[in-house]
């Protein structure tokens, strides 16, 4: 368990000291105090200011020592030069948490970095939950605790609710709060972590995941500092079924370093982050709009059981458009089966009797039709979620209220399934539908994206995450010199990674045993330092199928060598398993500076790179997660039996990936990177083979 | 030139007859009349109703014959059984245009289809510009002509402006009109084409493209009826620099048919439509939101000269996010060069001195900083467009007005370049910025997508479209039987498509001449019906480099054949050009039932199919368009010199594609499909070779 000390005191303090509190509510040093007073903060407020008797109408205290109780948190609105003293004071007085707003630290260069490190050390020693520096603070809506000077709360604190916002960037976090308010998403917790000297986004996610009153976490980060903390946080969110909707921009330092090794140069740390999201069921939003849309839907806590989407529209064109959107959003639009189709036909002969169901607008004369249509689609169709497209109808002064009742009646029995409605309507109409339990969107694509995200969360919540560090393979000293391919193969074979068997035979009597060990069919080759182009002299014999052929091939190879290059030094005859047909893939490991050993998978050849079609997973994988990794690449159908080919042995490939991940985790301290290129995936039941191995050992840091 | 007869009378009539006009404004047959009256339509209105003296306060006429002048257009609000008579009346009286609203025609089956065909024939014979049936009509805002009963105009007609909306679906078209109004996009023309018995979306686009007061066309279609008409319309839009923003959903009948031939089964008609858009510079929107965003931006008629985007933000995180969005939107975020950087540093030491430029919020104390920042980015940076991200600041009661003036001052000299601002602000604030010439978005991704679309339009407007049918190749009678590969190769080689040269030699004296004709290096193979596995008996000799080697190879092959299979019938020795190294690609042609010969291009192997990475162009290509086609596939970098390889001969590949397209257009009446698989693209300067050819002849329809 990671330490989440004093988080409670930071987010829900019973008393607050504002150190350096200004009487001027428009100044940064006065704004948090102003917000606290205006929001009716329910705890005690102690402005600390040695130059005034009162600050913004509250009694001021000359120093922390003068405050009549030990405050849970100190908001430190002081310039840099006074911070060390103030934080030391906090530590000495046993203050549980502190927020430092001032900028000009690590983000500006080394001087500020030194002071930041000093502050972090003081906080750590004093057991202070420190936020910042260079942050906009935090707030807890319910208790009116506004430990922030963000101008996003200039007009008011957020409407309370189940969403929690955690952002490295205060500006982005403020923007998210604004968008949530506009969208009717209540926000219970808000935090800006800034330079993260003491508390980072991961810590906040972790603690928030444990709070019962949090229903969805919106997170923003530019980079992740500590892979273990981060993974623990995502694990906690998973275990507590808290959807995390993440916006990560840019590239972490991890990417730059990892890009130096061959396999990682295929992508960058950003793709590793994608892998991590897939692994922990975090939804990674690409745009802010998507982040807010998904959070809006997830905040309801109602998730579909599967990906089967029902579509109801008042015009066929919208139905087709929603089908297109469903394909992009990973949802299935399966047809309605016959009993249900017959019911729809009987109900509404002018409408369509299938999914998507185009009702036309005829039901405006008989609202029970739309009620029954929803009922048939849910009860007969069994769809996991339904999206309905009603354009401007719900906003109609004539029909609006009736429509809402009719749709409500048709979905009342199915409140466990999310129903999204697309409409253009006044905010009060939208709010009325929302209070009935519907999700409302003004764009069909966005509605379907959000439903797809809900299905994604549901799938992940119901699937355990592979625990880390369960299994260790035997440990080798990989040394500090580059490993030869042969040495790498031997070590990896010991670690359970399959390579084709082979040996070099130097006497005709040994051929049969070698063949028996390796198994037919064989490839046999002359081994001689004096013969460069074996094929040209007939020095390679393929498809040796039995013992007699093997014996004959041995003689033939020696004869041909002698005939072609008389006097050539002959070291023996290579006997190896014929490389069977299979799909070429690449398996790699990079040792990410943030996330540690990270397994990469892609198709072989240039295509993984050309189409950027690779995927990542962090740490040790179990077999299920390894198979997920394989299925994640776009080229996956090639392994599933493409164009009538036999399916490949994805099961064995999964075993290989598990073995690779275990080896990598066991040797995390020694390994820089590992490449198996290609890994040949044979027909189902026949295994997967690494044909080539390269291990790069970590050089001293 | 395609016939656009009487369009003027349809969209801007000087007189309107409403046949079957109802006194009840809430009924379909009364609604259009109601809209006309309410909108203050400036022409004459003649309700035709033989049961009333007046309709909605206007004098009614018993029949069209009683109307005192020949109306430009008749709105026919009658049930099906009365339509034939009414339209015949219109034809006899010389009415220029007619709209039939009634549903229940081709969309319901054959009976309706028959009536629809009859109406189309009456209209064609009578030179009537017919809209519908099963449509919601059309309108022209400026003249108050509302020939529609769409409930989208229940409250009011659109605000006039340069946008034109054309939609097969009346519901979708109405929705678009609503969204345009909400977004502040003025709409001048609106049309719903319904079953398109007389007038289709393409006709409308064509005519609208010729109108000076149209600045952007929003189109919606579920399928395209006539490829030639459609292409002529897009050509007109291109030539008149009218941006077309298209939403096409679903699959046309074209797709279903075309999917039967091998190459087209790789995708479907939808990808052909994509190709057509790329060819004519039409922007295909994937979502309605995107369609409206792009139309909003394009309506200004201000297009960037290039793809170089400047970014100005008040917080670094937004800058990174905008960079991510720019990459997705196809825009370049190039760094600012030094003189400009120095200026930014001097201006604002706390901000960043590069692109993206994070100004921080310091300039709120000195607005001239933001003015100068814009000026430096445009004048020193030379960016083709700028996106600025200002979150909620422009909405601030304190700063808002000043900010608008400051940004206005910084961009005043650069009004020829589009400046997009991202903000969350009240509608009146947004309108103020818009009236200053800015594009305003509340989402950064959407802003950048729209700027990318503007760059796309600009590029296409400045590039001529390859004219069709300029060049014909020699015509062959392809017969009705399947063509042998040999026959196909001969015909295609004559048409200018390069194949590797080869011949079969039967006498040693002929070897030298064959070699000289073909050129070294050669591959030579024994040709014998009795030798199945040539390689195993040494019956294939590669890399024959000169005349002596060729002569020796000839003897060797005969000797080896004789030794291995005594008495084998020898037909001679195959002499062919060694297949040089190259990139394998696929070139195909399908004869699309709507668009005619359509050239497909993709990479070879399974990857084109696996990654759906193929692209299409319709009709005859010129070299520039052929190269565009090649560059459009995601795998294109493989041809550009991937991983240090030499670049491929895209120029020669372009020639091959041009030859294929000409051959296909010349044989459009005979050809079903054509596959060159693979086409090997050699190193730059060395050409491209088709290795295999398959022609499928069109069977009698």
């Amino acid at each position: 368990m990671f330490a989440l000390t004093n988080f409670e005191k930071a987010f829900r303090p019973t008393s607050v000291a504002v150190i350096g509190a200004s009487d001027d509510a428009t100044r940064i040093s006065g704004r948090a105090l102003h917000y606290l007073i205006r929001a009716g903060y329910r705890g005690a407020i102690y402005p600390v200011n040695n130059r005034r008797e009162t600050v913004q109408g509250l009694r001021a205290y000359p120093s922390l020592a003068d405050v009549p109780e030990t405050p849970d948190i100190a908001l430190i609105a002081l310039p840099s030069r006074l911070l060390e003293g103030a934080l030391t004071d906090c530590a000495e007085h046993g203050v549980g948490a502190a927020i430092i707003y001032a900028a000009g630290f690590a983000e500006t260069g080394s001087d500020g970095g030194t002071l930041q490190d000093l502050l972090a050390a003081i906080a750590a020693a004093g057991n202070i939950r420190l936020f910042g520096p260079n942050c906009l603070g935090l707030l807890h809506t319910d208790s009116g605790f506004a430990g922030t000077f963000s101008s996003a709360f200039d007009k008011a604190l957020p409407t309370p609710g189940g969403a929690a916002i955690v952002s490295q960037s205060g500006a982005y976090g403020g923007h998210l709060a604004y968008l949530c308010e506009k969208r009717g998403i209540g926000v219970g917790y808000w935090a800006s972590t800034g330079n993260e000297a003491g508390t980072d986004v991961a810590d906040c996610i972790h603690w928030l995941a444990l709070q019962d009153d949090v229903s969805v976490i919106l997170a923003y980060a530019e980079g992740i500092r500590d892979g273990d903390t981060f993974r623990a946080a995502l694990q906690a969110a998973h275990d507590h079924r808290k959807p995390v909707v993440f916006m990560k921009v840019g590239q972490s330092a991890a990417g730059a370093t990892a890009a130096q090794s061959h396999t990682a140069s295929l992508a960058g740390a950003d793709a590793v982050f994608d892998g991590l999201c897939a692994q922990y069921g975090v939804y990674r939003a690409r745009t802010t709009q998507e982040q807010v849309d998904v959070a809006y839907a997830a905040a309801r806590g109602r998730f579909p059981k599967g990906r089967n989407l029902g579509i109801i529209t008042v015009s066929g064109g919208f139905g087709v458009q929603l089908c297109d959107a469903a394909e992009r959003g990973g949802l299935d639009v399966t047809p309605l089966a016959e009993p249900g189709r017959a019911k729809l036909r009987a109900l509404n002969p002018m409408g369509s009797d299938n999914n998507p169901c185009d009702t036309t607008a005829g039901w405006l004369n008989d609202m029970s039709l739309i009620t029954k249509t929803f009922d048939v689609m849910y009860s007969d169709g069994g769809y996991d979620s339904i999206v309905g497209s009603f354009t401007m109808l719900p906003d109609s002064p004539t029909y609006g209220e009736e429509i809402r009742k009719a749709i409500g009646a048709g979905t009342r029995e199915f409140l466990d399934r999310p129903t999204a409605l697309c409409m253009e309507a006044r905010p009060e109409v939208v709010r009325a539908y929302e209070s009935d339990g519907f999700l409302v969107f003004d764009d069909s694509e966005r509605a379907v994206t959000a439903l797809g995200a809900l299905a994604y969360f549901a799938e992940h919540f119901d699937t355990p995450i592979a625990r880390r560090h369960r299994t260790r393979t035997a440990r080798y000293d990989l040394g500090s010199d580059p490993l030869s391919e042969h040495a790498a193969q031997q070590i990896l074979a010991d670690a359970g990674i399959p390579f084709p068997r082979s040996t070099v035979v130097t006497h005709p009597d040994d051929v049969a045993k070698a063949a028996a060990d390796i198994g037919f069919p064989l490839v046999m080759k002359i081994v001689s330092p004096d013969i460069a182009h074996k094929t040209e002299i007939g020095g390679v014999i393929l498809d040796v199928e039995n013992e007699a052929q093997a014996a004959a091939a041995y003689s033939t190879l020696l004869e041909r060598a002698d005939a072609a290059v008389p006097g050539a030094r002959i070291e023996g005859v290579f006997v190896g398993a014929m490389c069977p047909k299979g799909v070429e893939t690449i398996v790699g490991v990079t040792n990410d500076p943030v996330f540690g050993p990270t397994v990469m998978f892609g198709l072989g050849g240039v295509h993984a790179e050309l189409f950027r079609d690779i995927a990542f997973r962090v740490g040790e994988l179990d077999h299920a997660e390894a198979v997920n990794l394989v299925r994640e690449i776009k080229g996956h159908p090639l392994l599933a039996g493409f164009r009538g080919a036999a399916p490949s042995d994805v099961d064995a490939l999964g075993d290989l990936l598990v073995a690779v991940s275990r080896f990598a985790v066991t040797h995390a301290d020694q390994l820089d990177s590992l490449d198996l290129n290609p890994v040949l995936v044979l027909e189902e039941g026949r295994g997967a083979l690494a044909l080539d191995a390269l291990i790069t050992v970590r050089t001293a840091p």
Side-chain angles (χ1 to χ4, degrees), chain A:
Chain A
M1 188 59 192
F2 291 79
L4 296 173
T5 320
N6 279 339
F7 249 108
E8 181 80 27
K9 289 186 178 173
F11 267 117
R12 296 190 291 247
T14 56
S15 53
V16 179
V18 185
I19 301 177
S22 165
D23 195 53
D24 182 350
T26 67
R27 296 184 57 180
I28 287 176
S29 48
R31 204 156 344 148
L33 181 59
H34 170 67
Y35 288 171
L36 281 168
I37 295 168
R38 188 192 57 188
Y41 168 59
R42 292 203 290 269
I45 308 175
Y46 305 107
V48 175
N49 183 326
N50 61 9
R51 283 174 298 179
R52 300 183 60 96
E53 289 291 309
T54 64
V55 174
Q56 297 187 34
L58 297 179
R59 180 185 160 182
Y61 301 83
S63 75
L64 198 57
D66 301 306
V67 170
E69 63 173 316
T70 301
D72 279 352
I73 189 168
L75 316 185
I76 307 181
L78 294 172
S80 301
R81 65 193 158 75
L82 301 176
L83 292 173
E84 183 186 346
L87 196 63
T88 305
D89 261 11
C90 289
E92 280 168 4
H93 288 89
V95 174
I99 304 174
I100 296 179
Y101 300 123
F105 290 84
E107 81 275 16
T108 58
S110 58
D111 276 11
T114 309
L115 176 55
Q116 182 173 320
D117 292 345
L118 177 62
L119 296 171
I122 296 169
N127 214 21
I128 296 175
R129 167 64 49 196
L130 174 64
F131 283 80
N134 191 26
C135 79
L136 301 191
L138 49 161
L139 69 76
H140 176 241
T141 319
D142 266 345
S143 64
F145 169 62
T148 173
F149 68 94
S150 166
S151 58
F153 309 111
D154 237 350
K155 288 170 190 160
L157 293 202
T159 303
I165 295 172
V166 195
S167 176
Q168 271 177 359
S169 156
Y172 189 86
H175 190 59
L176 273 184
Y178 174 91
L179 294 176
C180 284
E181 188 69 30
K182 190 173 160 192
R183 190 63 186 276
I185 309 170
V187 175
Y189 299 84
W190 184 92
S192 138
T193 56
N195 285 13
E196 305 191 336
T199 304
D200 67 9
V201 163
D203 296 325
C204 292
I205 291 174
H206 198 152
W207 185 79
L208 290 164
L210 308 179
Q211 309 310 308
D212 287 342
D213 58 350
V214 168
S215 58
V216 62
I217 299 169
L218 295 89
Y220 169 95
E222 283 152 34
I224 305 302
R225 262 150 236 269
D226 182 319
D228 284 337
T229 307
F230 191 67
R231 291 169 69 190
L234 300 188
Q235 179 83 53
H238 173 273
D239 293 349
H240 291 81
R241 301 177 75 88
K242 303 289 187 193
V244 177
V245 193
F246 216 111
M247 166 65 73
K248 180 190 162 292
V249 297
Q251 288 201 313
S252 69
T257 311
Q260 291 163 9
S261 120
H262 169 65
T263 36
S265 76
L266 287 171
D270 204 59
V272 174
F273 191 82
D274 277 336
L276 206 72
C277 289
Q279 208 160 345
Y280 286 89
V282 167
Y283 189 91
R284 184 172 184 186
R286 295 285 157 183
T287 70
T288 305
Q289 180 175 276
E290 185 185 1
Q291 186 177 26
V292 174
D293 281 340
V294 171
Y296 166 80
R300 299 298 172 89
R302 193 185 302 171
F303 301 95
K305 291 201 171 50
R307 293 189 169 268
N308 213 351
L309 176 70
I311 298 176
I312 298 173
T313 70
V314 289
S315 170
F318 291 109
V320 184
Q321 201 182 7
L322 282 162
C323 284
D324 291 356
E327 189 182 285
R328 284 190 288 268
L331 295 175
D332 306 319
V333 184
T334 55
L336 184 65
E338 190 42 59
R341 295 189 65 166
K343 286 189 195 172
L344 286 187
R345 273 196 301 275
L347 210 55
N348 185 3
M350 288 295 284
S352 67
D353 62 344
N354 208 334
N355 184 30
C357 177
D358 169 16
T359 62
T360 75
W363 52 268
L364 289 178
N365 300 318
D366 175 5
M367 292 280 171
S368 76
L369 289 185
I370 197 70
T371 300
K372 287 171 189 158
T373 301
F374 270 93
D375 184 75
V376 168
M377 291 291 275
Y378 267 137
S379 60
D380 292 80
Y383 297 106
D384 301 308
S385 60
I386 286 182
V387 61
S389 180
F390 294 93
T391 67
M392 288 118 8
L393 287 174
D395 202 42
S396 154
T398 319
Y399 303 117
E401 193 56 25
E402 273 186 276
I403 293 174
R404 184 165 73 87
K405 284 181 190 153
I407 299 176
T411 52
R412 189 165 299 135
E413 305 290 313
F414 310 97
L415 287 179
D416 56 328
R417 309 188 208 176
T419 302
L421 302 177
C422 306
M423 65 180 72
E424 288 288 349
R426 284 156 295 156
E428 57 270 29
V429 173
V430 172
R431 296 293 169 259
Y433 275 93
E434 286 172 341
S435 69
D436 289 348
F438 297 104
L439 301 170
V440 181
F441 293 85
D442 59 7
D443 183 87
S444 56
E445 180 85 16
R446 292 166 61 183
V448 172
T449 299
L451 289 176
L454 294 184
Y456 170 89
F457 284 127
E459 284 166 4
H460 276 279
F461 288 154
D462 293 335
T463 311
I465 294 170
R467 300 284 163 171
R468 294 171 298 143
H469 308 290
R470 280 183 309 193
T471 322
R472 296 259 171 189
T473 57
R475 252 184 82 84
Y476 297 86
D477 180 358
L478 302 180
S480 56
D481 295 329
L483 281 170
S484 77
E485 191 195 325
H486 182 71
Q489 281 204 17
Q490 283 199 317
I491 290 171
L492 293 170
D494 279 351
I497 292 155
F499 290 87
R501 284 154 299 174
S502 70
T503 187
V504 173
V505 174
T506 53
H507 193 275
D509 294 353
D510 298 339
V511 172
K513 178 168 187 319
D517 286 350
I518 292 166
F520 295 102
L522 298 172
V523 55
M524 295 174 64
K525 309 178 201 176
I526 196 75
V527 181
S528 164
D530 300 321
I531 300 173
H533 302 287
K534 297 182 186 70
T535 313
E536 291 186 2
I537 66 134
V540 178
I541 298 180
L542 303 173
D543 286 311
V544 175
E545 303 221 331
N546 54 45
E547 209 171 303
Q549 284 184 10
Y554 186 89
S555 315
T556 305
L557 286 169
L558 293 181
E559 285 158 22
R560 287 185 182 168
D562 191 49
V565 188
R569 289 164 294 170
I570 305 297
E571 296 182 348
V573 170
F574 170 95
V575 181
M578 273 293 288
C579 212
K581 281 188 187 169
V583 176
E584 278 196 17
T585 64
I586 309 176
V587 173
V589 172
T590 52
N591 204 340
D592 189 282
V594 173
F595 294 112
T598 300
V599 177
M600 189 278 296
F601 175 73
L603 291 184
V606 295
H607 298 91
E609 187 172 349
L610 195 57
F611 295 103
R612 292 194 189 185
D613 187 26
I614 53 175
F616 293 85
R617 287 294 184 277
V618 174
E620 187 184 332
L621 307 180
D622 62 9
H623 191 268
E625 192 63 40
V627 171
N628 285 344
L629 169 59
V630 172
R631 294 217 175 111
E632 194 169 300
I633 64 165
K634 290 188 217 80
H636 164 254
L638 197 63
L639 293 160
F642 197 60
R643 283 186 178 168
S648 303
D649 200 337
V650 172
D651 197 50
L653 177 60
D655 288 339
L656 184 148
L657 286 163
V658 168
V660 165
S661 75
R662 286 178 181 172
F663 177 84
V665 168
T666 306
H667 296 87
D669 55 334
Q670 300 184 60
L671 198 67
D672 196 40
S673 71
L674 161 60
D675 284 285
L676 303 177
N677 183 2
V679 169
L680 206 62
V681 191
L682 312 183
E683 271 185 28
E684 221 165 47
R686 302 192 61 189
L689 291 172
L691 301 192
D692 206 347
L694 178 66
I695 290 178
T696 308
V697 176
R698 177 165 277 194
T699 47

